């Protein structure tokens, strides 16, 4: 299975509506592909939020009346066309026009670079295994002007996302846990405890030394392991 | 004197009777235990490069390569017996005990022995239990244990190998193929890799908690040990990628 196929079927997979053969292929792909696993995690968080949080806006009882009000207010906002006043013309030299075009091109290039950089999700490695020491000068400048996350902020954001996914899968495990036999329960508890100890260990190291790349990477890996353990046992 | 002899004889016979009674009780119940274990067996004709995809709940899974174009599945089912319903679809044999037993609370362990053609692709997974794979030279070997269990991969000649477990050991004995991708990951346990001395690979070995990384005869390559938590480097022309991570255990290389 490739990433495209996996991502096409991800939503249906999370809803548990895929046939088993495809589900298993997706599961296999998710263990091998970090990008798709990350996407799956994001989907899971969205699903969880939709299921747990009540809608913040009250849906109007009569949608027709609402649309009528909207079109009235749009029509009210449209002003009658104003007749154009003859203006004195602007006159620029060729040099001025050239400089202006060059300036616009430079600014738009910079904005495009920044936009692309912020639009695409950085990989897990970018998030967690990098410290301020490994940042390029360009990245440092972007961080300083607030256009990009610092490694610490990125790591915190990633941790928050992982925690949300863990909460989601943990709820599903708690719903299933009573059905397991003792052997299954003991194995699950033992492994979860091991992972929790590892997470605590790296959290403490990172509190003392936030620039420890390897501990950041291992914490990320341990949290992924925790999420996978919960996900694997939630289907029992 | 005579009284004593009679008394001793009575005691001896009474003791014997008690033992006989106990033994009869033991033998009465013993067959019940034996009959509680069911056996499942099924064979499928296999195409070239057949793929085996197995998801078990608990129990030991043993996959062995053999010189027949046939997949033979045999399983011992502990009580309460699980439902086992393999499927053969477009060159893949699927066995999914999680799906086949969905909604059932108490399901006994299932111990599989599966024989597949040498050139098969093997993808096996279990929630709890050991996984053993031997004599496989197909394109793909993946063994994944969600929690407790050892993984033993013996005589593997494959370009894509992945083994992952929670608490348990991982042993790999096989060849490192050029441009291959090898990944071994454990939370706690020992990872032992037995590979030929002429293997060539790029290595990232990480054991941050124990710092116990023993490269053996492979330490002579261009390896950087850093502070001992991670070893990064290249051995030979380095065309294969070898990633070994053991969060709270050791990593050792053994020359094959």
């Amino acid at each position: 299975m490739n990433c495209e196929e996996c991502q096409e079927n991800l939503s249906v997979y999370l809803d548990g509506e895929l046939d088993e053969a495809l589900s298993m292929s997706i599961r296999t792909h998710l263990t091998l592909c970090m990008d798709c696993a990350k996407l799956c995690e994001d989907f899971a968080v969205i699903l969880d939020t939709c299921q747990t949080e009540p809608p913040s806006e009250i849906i109007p009882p009569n949608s027709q009346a609402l649309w009528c009000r909207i079109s009235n207010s749009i029509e009210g906002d449209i002003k009658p066309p104003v007749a154009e006043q003859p203006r004195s013309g602007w006159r620029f030299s060729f040099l001025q026009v050239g400089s202006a075009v060059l300036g616009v091109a430079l600014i738009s290039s910079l904005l495009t670079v920044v936009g692309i950089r912020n639009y695409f999700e950085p990989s897990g490695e970018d998030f967690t295994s990098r410290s301020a020491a490994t940042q390029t000068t360009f990245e440092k400048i972007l961080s300083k002007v607030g256009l990009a996350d610092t490694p610490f902020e990125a790591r915190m954001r990633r941790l928050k996302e992982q925690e949300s996914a863990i909460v989601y899968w943990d709820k599903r495990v708690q719903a299933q846990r009573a059905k397991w036999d003792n052997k299954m329960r003991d194995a699950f508890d033992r492994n979860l405890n091991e992972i929790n100890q590892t997470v605590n260990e790296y959290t403490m190291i990172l509190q003392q030394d936030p620039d420890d790349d390897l501990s950041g990477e291992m914490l990320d890996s341990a949290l992924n392991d925790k999420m996978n353990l919960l996900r694997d046992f939630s289907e029992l | 004197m005579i009284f004593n002899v009679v008394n001793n004889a009575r005691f001896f016979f009474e003791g014997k009777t008690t033992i006989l009674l106990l033994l009869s009780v033991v033998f009465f119940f013993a067959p019940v235990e034996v009959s509680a274990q069911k056996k499942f067996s099924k064979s499928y004709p296999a195409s070239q490069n057949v793929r085996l995809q197995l998801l078990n709940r608990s129990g030991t899974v043993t996959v062995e390569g053999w010189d027949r174009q046939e997949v033979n599945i045999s399983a011992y089912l502990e009580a309460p017996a699980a439902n086992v319903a393999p499927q053969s679809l477009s060159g893949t044999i699927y066995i999914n005990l999680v799906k086949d037993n969905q909604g059932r609370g108490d399901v006994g362990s299932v111990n599989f022995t599966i024989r597949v053609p040498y050139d098969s692709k093997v993808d096996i997974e279990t929630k709890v239990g050991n996984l053993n794979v031997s004599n496989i030279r197909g394109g793909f070997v993946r063994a994944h244990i969600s929690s407790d269990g050892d993984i033993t991969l013996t005589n593997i000649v494959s370009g894509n190998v992945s083994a992952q477990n929670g608490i348990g050991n991982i042993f790999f004995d096989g060849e490192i193929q050029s441009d291959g991708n090898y990944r071994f990951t454990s939370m706690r346990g020992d990872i032992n890799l037995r590979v030929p001395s002429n293997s060539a690979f790029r290595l990232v070995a990480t054991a941050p908690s124990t710092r116990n990384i023993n490269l053996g005869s492979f330490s002579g390559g261009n390896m950087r040990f850093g502070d001992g938590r991670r070893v990064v480097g290249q051995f030979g022309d380095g065309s294969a990628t070898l990633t070994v991570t053991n969060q709270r255990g050791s990593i050792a290389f053994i020359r094959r």
Side-chain angles (χ1 to χ4, degrees), chain A residues 20-21 24-25 27-28 31-32 179-181 183-184 187-188 190-191 194-195 197-198 201-202 205 212 214-215 217-218 221-222 225 228-229 232-233 235-236, chain B residues 51 53 55 57-58 94-96 98-99 102 105-107 109 123 125 127-128 140 142 144 146-148 164 166-167 187-188 206 208-209 229-230 245 247-248:
Chain A
E20 187 47 37
M24 198 167 259
S25 302
R27 214 174 291 124
T28 306
T31 59
L32 297 171
K179 295 180 195 164
W180 304 344
D181 58 25
K183 188 181 171 186
M184 208 62 95
F188 174 80
R190 206 169 21 250
N191 280 265
E194 194 73 33
I195 295 173
Q197 280 181 29
T198 310
E201 205 173 283
Y202 292 121
I205 293 173
D212 185 356
L214 189 60
S215 293
E217 188 188 321
M218 289 296 113
S221 167
D225 287 345
N228 288 333
L229 178 74
D232 286 354
F233 275 75
E235 64 184 7
L236 283 175
Chain B
R51 181 185 172 116
Q53 197 153 340
L55 175 56
R57 289 171 62 108
S58 74
Y94 294 98
I95 309 165
N96 188 334
V98 172
K99 185 191 158 225
Q102 202 86 58
D106 202 9
V107 179
S109 295
D123 183 354
E125 190 174 335
K127 306 295 174 191
V128 191
F140 183 82
R142 176 179 173 266
H144 178 247
S146 303
S147 60
D148 288 0
Q164 183 174 8
I167 301 174
M187 181 55 67
R188 179 190 281 275
T206 315
S209 210
R229 295 184 295 172
R230 169 174 276 177
T245 309
Q247 290 270 17
R248 314 187 90 189

Side-chain angles (χ1 to χ4, degrees), chain A residues 117-183:
Chain A
R117 203 184 150 70
N118 288 336
Y119 180 76
F120 289 109
E121 281 284 297
S123 66
E125 199 178 58
D126 286 341
F127 270 145
T128 56
S129 61
R130 304 187 58 201
S131 65
T134 58
Q135 263 189 307
T136 62
T137 316
F138 182 62
E139 285 169 334
K140 278 179 185 166
I141 293 166
L142 287 178
S143 305
K144 282 205 170 157
V145 296
L147 288 171
D149 284 344
T150 62
F152 179 76
E153 286 167 345
R155 187 191 293 152
M156 287 297 122
R157 190 153 63 85
R158 172 96 173 124
L159 286 180
K160 212 173 160 188
E161 286 167 5
Q162 284 173 318
E163 293 290 350
S164 305
I166 285 167
V167 168
Y168 170 79
W169 290 111
D170 189 47
K171 273 184 200 161
R172 293 183 66 158
V173 163
Q174 295 311 321
Q176 298 293 323
R177 190 184 160 87
K179 295 180 195 164
W180 304 344
D181 58 25
N182 288 338
K183 188 181 171 186

Side-chain angles (χ1 to χ4, degrees), chain B residues 174 176 193-201 203 214-223 225 231 233-236 242 252-256:
Chain B
I176 302 288
L193 308 174
R194 188 166 172 262
V195 295
S197 54
N198 60 354
S199 304
F201 49 83
L203 173 72
N214 182 1
L215 298 186
S217 57
F218 296 97
S219 55
N222 178 22
M223 299 289 174
F225 282 78
V231 177
Q234 195 164 334
F235 196 84
L242 187 50
F253 281 76
I254 307 155
R255 200 174 63 183
R256 198 179 186 207

Side-chain angles (χ1 to χ4, degrees), chain B residues 72-119:
Chain B
N72 174 259
I73 303 163
S74 67
Y76 284 98
L77 287 70
E78 290 173 13
N83 296 324
V84 185
Q87 282 183 303
S88 175
L89 294 168
S90 50
T92 303
I93 309 285
Y94 294 98
I95 309 165
N96 188 334
L97 267 74
V98 172
K99 185 191 158 225
D100 294 344
N101 297 278
Q102 202 86 58
R104 287 183 61 189
D106 202 9
V107 179
S109 295
V110 180
N111 300 311
F112 282 98
T113 301
I114 302 172
R115 291 183 179 86
V116 296
Y118 291 128
D119 60 358

Side-chain angles (χ1 to χ4, degrees), chain A residues 3-188:
Chain A
C3 293
E4 200 182 338
E5 286 169 343
C6 176
Q7 287 168 15
E8 264 176 25
N9 292 303
L10 212 50
S11 174
V12 193
Y13 166 72
L14 284 172
D15 291 338
E17 288 167 3
L18 267 191
D19 65 82
E20 187 47 37
L22 204 50
S23 291
M24 198 167 259
S25 302
I26 287 177
R27 214 174 291 124
T28 306
H29 183 81
L30 288 176
T31 59
L32 297 171
C33 174
M34 281 305 292
D35 289 343
C36 290
K38 171 80 179 47
L39 192 67
C40 179
E41 225 176 86
D42 292 344
F43 264 131
V45 174
I46 291 165
L47 273 177
D48 185 42
T49 311
C50 292
Q51 281 167 1
T52 52
E53 289 183 15
S56 57
E57 289 175 14
I58 297 159
I59 299 158
N62 186 346
S63 60
Q64 213 173 352
L66 176 72
W67 279 114
C68 198
R69 280 209 303 277
I70 291 168
S71 57
N72 282 345
S73 83
I74 291 169
E75 278 167 17
D77 286 347
I78 297 170
K79 289 171 187 167
V82 180
E84 257 184 55
Q85 298 288 326
R87 286 190 300 180
S88 59
W90 291 80
R91 290 175 190 278
F92 297 107
S93 69
F94 179 74
L95 195 68
Q96 281 173 319
V97 171
S99 312
V101 167
L102 197 68
V104 168
L106 270 173
I107 290 166
S108 60
S109 310
L110 186 67
L111 286 174
T112 309
V113 168
V114 172
I116 286 171
R117 203 184 150 70
N118 288 336
Y119 180 76
F120 289 109
E121 281 284 297
S123 66
E125 199 178 58
D126 286 341
F127 270 145
T128 56
S129 61
R130 304 187 58 201
S131 65
T134 58
Q135 263 189 307
T136 62
T137 316
F138 182 62
E139 285 169 334
K140 278 179 185 166
I141 293 166
L142 287 178
S143 305
K144 282 205 170 157
V145 296
L147 288 171
D149 284 344
T150 62
F152 179 76
E153 286 167 345
R155 187 191 293 152
M156 287 297 122
R157 190 153 63 85
R158 172 96 173 124
L159 286 180
K160 212 173 160 188
E161 286 167 5
Q162 284 173 318
E163 293 290 350
S164 305
I166 285 167
V167 168
Y168 170 79
W169 290 111
D170 189 47
K171 273 184 200 161
R172 293 183 66 158
V173 163
Q174 295 311 321
Q176 298 293 323
R177 190 184 160 87
K179 295 180 195 164
W180 304 344
D181 58 25
N182 288 338
K183 188 181 171 186
M184 208 62 95
R185 248 194 306 269
D186 289 348
F188 174 80

